[in-house]
Amino acid sequence: MRIRAQVAMVMNLDKCIGCHTCSVTCKQTWTNREGTEYVWFNNVETKPGIGYPKHYEDQERWKGGWKLDGKGRLVLRSGGRAKRLSRIFANPDLPAIDDYYEPATFDKDILVSAPGGLTDTPVKKPYSKLTGEPMSIEWGANWEDSLGGDTMDQDPNLRGLADKVKFEFEKTFMFHLPRICEHCLNPACVSACPSGAMYKREEDGIVLVDQDRCRGWRMCVSACPYKKVYVNHATGKAEKCTFCFPRIEAGQPTICSETCVGRLRYLGILWYDEDAVLAAATVPDEELLDAQRGVFLDPFDPAVQQAARDAGHPEEWIEAAMASPVWKLISEYRIALPLHPEYRTLPMVWYVPPLSPVLDAAGAAGRDDTDADDIFHTIDDLRIPVAYLASLFTAGDTAVAGGVLMKLAAMRAYMRARTLDGTVARELLDGIGMTADQVEAMYRLLAIAKYDERYVIPAAHAKTAAALEDLGGCSLDGDGGPGMGGGPVPVILSTRRGQ
């Protein structure tokens, strides 16, 4: 066993209101400069929809992620080394700017400088930020925002679900899906990079790009099934979400987490066995979720703790792993799920799936919203189909997706009964195999957790952050980078507490 630490994130989709604050603050922090006008390290999509870039989940088209060959071996969908090198100067599996969107700006001066007495109201016209020419805006990173079905029929996740997902107006559904780089345990982008510029940090698992080694071959863009690697067209270098590692090193959460209005993001440390990653990525689709959970190690196991000490991890990391909200949501409560585990990258950004108003739905159907059987039976009739959630988070396994929704529904019903009249709904607890203490702890974490409970970042980072200031900044701090080549990026040591 080779024990490793991974900084991981869980997002509770029930709490996402689609405000895009996370996207804006990430954009202002990391991609507000020349060459990154079209780049969003964090974006919020409306599902169902085709996403950003368009149809990024269609791996038959883009050939991202991994697959099993005829002998059951794990291979990149984009091909082996020889195939990638043969088309290194002409890669056909790349999204075009129209798949992202052509960024625009506006001639705002006309609104304040137009002469008086005009018969027509001055209008600011859009201009391309790439060419400077007039243009018409036809797509954007959040073009589908809150449309709830306008592009539903084009969503790759709905293939084969026509009999289960109806397109009638009264059955239209939607929810918001925030996305960042998954910082995978088995990253396809790292394996596909010909120059070795993509790498996964040993100390915390964050995947980064060495700007000095990057040669702009763009194989990483093709290989990433989530299309979260971009090319800066001004520098010709690949760029991606850095998991805000300068903040993490200072003991602070990522900027998207810090500014999240809905407080839906959780950050923490997971221990995992590096030797088990390959085996977990090569199991059949129906076993992928259990296999990935099996890679994670119990932070309360004395043997795991000792292995972490033997590997040189400080005591603060061991304590942080035990307090990790990510561990609780993924492995203890088992309600967080990975995005598209069938890509076999073993993603490390997980999601608590959205639950429709199940208690209201039970009442509307004439069922008893305090009866366990009635609540569980209502799950199949919810506005957001279980089959669609399964296509996103469980490689199509509706039983697993439905089981998570049942836990969430039982938690709501149990807490409502306990709050209204103090009763303990044993039938609900028995139905999901959890104790009253577990359900109440899960409710607290999901609903009312404070700042220090949502973000458990090892104290060791804060202790060493001052020394990191002398190392010369971050992986994007070069010509055209967010630091504009102006020296080390300052690390803020203070943190806020008690929110």
Side-chain angles (χ1 to χ4, degrees), residues 259-273:
T259 59
C260 176
V261 172
R263 300 183 179 183
L264 60 97
R265 300 184 187 230
Y266 301 81
L267 282 168
I269 292 292
L270 289 174
W271 297 125
Y272 72 96
D273 181 4

Side-chain angles (χ1 to χ4, degrees), residues 20 44-50 138-140 142-152 154 169 172-176 383:
H20 300 272
V44 181
E45 298 170 355
T46 296
K47 288 295 186 180
I50 62 178
E138 300 177 349
W139 192 257
N142 64 337
W143 195 263
E144 301 171 291
D145 188 22
S146 301
L147 290 181
D150 187 66
T151 53
M152 174 185 282
Q154 302 176 52
F169 174 79
T172 297
F173 66 95
M174 56 158 278
F175 60 92
H176 299 293
R383 193 176 185 91

Side-chain angles (χ1 to χ4, degrees), residues 76-409:
L76 288 170
R77 281 185 177 272
S78 57
R81 181 184 298 272
K83 183 177 180 180
R84 292 198 305 276
L85 290 177
S86 69
R87 56 185 188 181
I88 198 167
F89 296 108
N91 184 0
D93 301 322
L94 285 173
I97 191 65
D98 289 340
D99 293 309
Y100 295 100
Y101 72 102
E102 186 169 358
T105 187
F106 297 89
D107 182 8
K108 302 181 181 66
D109 289 340
I110 194 173
L111 299 181
V112 295
S113 61
L118 293 177
T119 57
D120 297 323
T121 302
V123 176
K124 56 181 183 179
K125 298 179 180 179
Y127 291 85
S128 170
K129 294 196 73 172
L130 302 182
T131 66
E133 299 295 323
M135 61 173 288
S136 60
I137 300 177
E138 300 177 349
W139 192 257
N142 64 337
W143 195 263
E144 301 171 291
D145 188 22
S146 301
L147 290 181
D150 187 66
T151 53
M152 174 185 282
D153 59 333
Q154 302 176 52
D155 188 331
N157 300 292
L158 288 171
R159 290 174 181 167
L161 298 180
D163 58 329
K164 299 178 181 179
V165 180
K166 306 301 182 184
F167 293 161
E168 290 90 343
F169 174 79
E170 66 275 9
K171 294 184 179 181
T172 297
F173 66 95
M174 56 158 278
F175 60 92
H176 299 293
L177 180 71
R179 292 203 305 119
I180 64 173
C181 168
E182 297 286 335
H183 296 277
C184 308
L185 296 185
N186 184 36
C189 58
V190 173
S191 295
C193 179
S195 59
M198 305 284 293
Y199 66 100
K200 187 172 179 65
R201 298 209 309 185
E202 290 188 6
E203 60 267 35
D204 53 20
I206 296 175
V207 177
L208 298 174
V209 186
D210 185 336
Q211 295 290 288
D212 291 331
R213 300 187 67 175
C214 179
R215 296 294 178 265
W217 299 122
R218 310 187 184 200
M219 295 299 173
C220 52
V221 179
S222 299
C224 175
Y226 305 98
K227 291 297 172 280
K228 277 298 176 182
V229 183
Y230 307 89
V231 174
N232 181 318
H233 61 75
T235 65
K237 307 284 188 177
E239 297 187 11
K240 60 177 292 299
C241 161
T242 66
F243 227 144
C244 288
F245 74 85
R247 292 178 60 88
I248 294 291
E249 289 170 349
Q252 295 182 311
T254 61
I255 197 68
C256 58
S257 300
E258 179 80 67
T259 59
C260 176
V261 172
R263 300 183 179 183
L264 60 97
R265 300 184 187 230
Y266 301 81
L267 282 168
I269 292 292
L270 289 174
W271 297 125
Y272 72 96
D273 181 4
E274 188 176 28
D275 289 335
V277 169
L278 178 60
T282 54
V283 299
D285 281 358
E286 61 271 15
E287 301 174 20
L288 279 168
L289 181 56
D290 286 338
Q292 180 163 352
R293 278 206 178 104
V295 171
F296 305 142
L297 303 174
D298 185 351
F300 296 93
D301 185 341
V304 171
Q305 295 176 6
Q306 188 56 49
R309 293 187 187 97
D310 294 341
H313 295 287
E315 202 66 31
E316 290 90 342
W317 284 59
I318 297 172
E319 295 172 2
M322 289 191 287
S324 172
V326 175
W327 162 261
K328 294 173 184 176
L329 295 170
I330 293 176
S331 295
E332 183 177 347
Y333 306 141
R334 300 173 73 86
I335 56 173
L337 301 169
L339 181 62
H340 290 300
E342 69 273 17
Y343 296 163
R344 300 179 182 274
T345 60
L346 278 65
M348 292 309 299
V349 177
W350 289 44
Y351 297 86
V352 178
L355 179 66
S356 305
V358 63
L359 303 186
D360 292 342
R367 297 168 178 160
D368 184 354
D369 61 11
T370 62
D371 181 83
D373 287 338
D374 280 0
I375 291 175
F376 294 158
H377 289 155
T378 306
I379 295 291
D380 292 332
D381 302 326
L382 291 178
R383 193 176 185 91
I384 303 176
V386 175
Y388 182 76
L389 295 177
S391 69
L392 278 172
F393 302 117
T394 63
D397 192 332
T398 55
V400 174
V404 171
L405 297 181
M406 287 179 184
K407 283 188 178 182
L408 297 173

